Amino acid sequence: MQRIKELPKRIGEEVVLRGWLMNARSSGKIAFLQVRDGSGVVQAVASRAELSERAWEDVQKITQESALRLTGTVSEDPRSPSGVEIHLLDLAVEHLSEEFPITKKEHGTGFLMDHRHLWLRSSRQRAALKVRSEVSQAIRDFHYERDFVLIDSPILTPAACEGTSTLFETDYFGDQAYLSQSGQLYLEPAAAVFGKVYCFGPTFRAEKSKTRRHLMEFWMVEPEVAFLEFAGLCDLAEEFISYLVARVLDRCAEELKVLERETSKLEAATSPFPRITYTEAIETLQKSAVSIEWGEDFGGDDETILAEQFDRPVLVTHYPTALKAFYMEPDPDNPELALALDVLAPEGYGEIIGGSQRIHDHDLLKRRLEEHELPLEAFQWYLDVRRYGTFPHSGFGMGIERFVAWVCGLKHLRETIPYPRMLNKIYP
RNA sequence: UCCUCGGUAGCUCAGUGGUAGAGCGGUCGGCUGUUAACCGAUUGGUCGGGGGUUCGACUCCCUCCCGGGGAGCCA
């Protein structure tokens, strides 16, 4: 069977295609069928004179999204949208579709989300998911090429990584278990095995967030590297982002075109990225007449203002310790600050990476657990990493949906994942 | 959880006290190069649920339900 993508190599040949009807335009004795097979879209031209009576009748009655088997000859034609078209010789209707809910005209988001399984067939959704797939592959290739070992962290976990309020709870043979919200803690012991490790999988947050930048279930990639200190972590994050962007520009040109993404904005995302400290960021915001004091965290608007200062992602470093997670290493020059890093995407897409150097001193980490009122017994295994040949190490996490949203220029995260899980919405 | 906007035909919406409308879709007919094709006809409704005000409620009031957008929090 022929795939539409390969048709330009088959000019003049007779081929058989199977696919779905996107749209049909009929003009009496000639009809134009837009057919999709998963690899691409092609126009088939059906003329009454060249078809059997039965085939012509089928052309008249086929509905949007019907499954078809087409036989025809391939020709180049500048009048066809793709430059290639099929002159139809025969048509078999494999299934006559019922009236398809998603039409060529506009629909509201609520309706589209209720029909997500069908909405996926439309070209923009298709393009976004193709980019997501390429990003996933590029993430694996990036780590593989650099000798990282994949560590699959557990999804069912006994306790919180960073707190309990945002965890999905489930029953585990009579005990409580929670869906993982980060693989990081499980990665740190593995860094002592392989030196360079990463995990990549779904994570779950039960936070009642109802914004375009949040999902209840999202995919996160988290590298963790032994003996990597903070400066090296910043370099790694920068190299990672620019690698992924270059890969999408190289391999997803068609998809970015469908998404009408202005690629010049992405082409700028090459090393080096600007780097500012939290304190500098606060000063910048205050100059922009934002009322924010040192010690406060940034809101979504603040992140946008900061990112707008630059044409590529910006690294914001050295946050106040009080704002960050318990495991982050204090800056040796100023213990008020954490060796923490956020990467903000341009154009208002916000935080795509959060990471830090980790505390490797046992006593300090234990003290931080106590300060955060976390149960020591539950973290004993995590403290063990600091008892048996402890080592400085660093890592970060990137939510791939936010990255894909930025690269694709999508306003809402729900279009970057096949079946988004959102606040109070888990269908289909 | 809070703020805000909304719920009328399969879809997108208009109608804001006096018998329910349009475009698209569907159906039927016309058209030999269409590009969300076009032209003509036609089909299509417990106006989110409940209660109240009124001679009369899609319209005003109360209440509940559902959805969109945003805030906080984060990736």
Side-chain angles (χ1 to χ4, degrees), chain A residues 10-22:
Chain A
R10 296 280 179 273
I11 305 293
E13 295 177 31
E14 185 174 317
V15 296
V16 175
L17 291 177
R18 295 171 83 177
W20 298 267
L21 182 72
M22 293 175 74

Side-chain angles (χ1 to χ4, degrees), chain A residues 2 22 67 81 83 98-99 103 148 229 234 324 379 399:
Chain A
Q2 186 62 51
M22 293 175 74
E98 294 177 31
E99 190 180 329
T103 65
F148 280 72
E229 298 186 51
C234 294
K324 290 293 181 180
F379 286 91

Side-chain angles (χ1 to χ4, degrees), chain A residues 15 27 154 268 317 340 386 407:
Chain A
V15 296
S27 184
T317 63
R386 281 76 180 170
V407 166

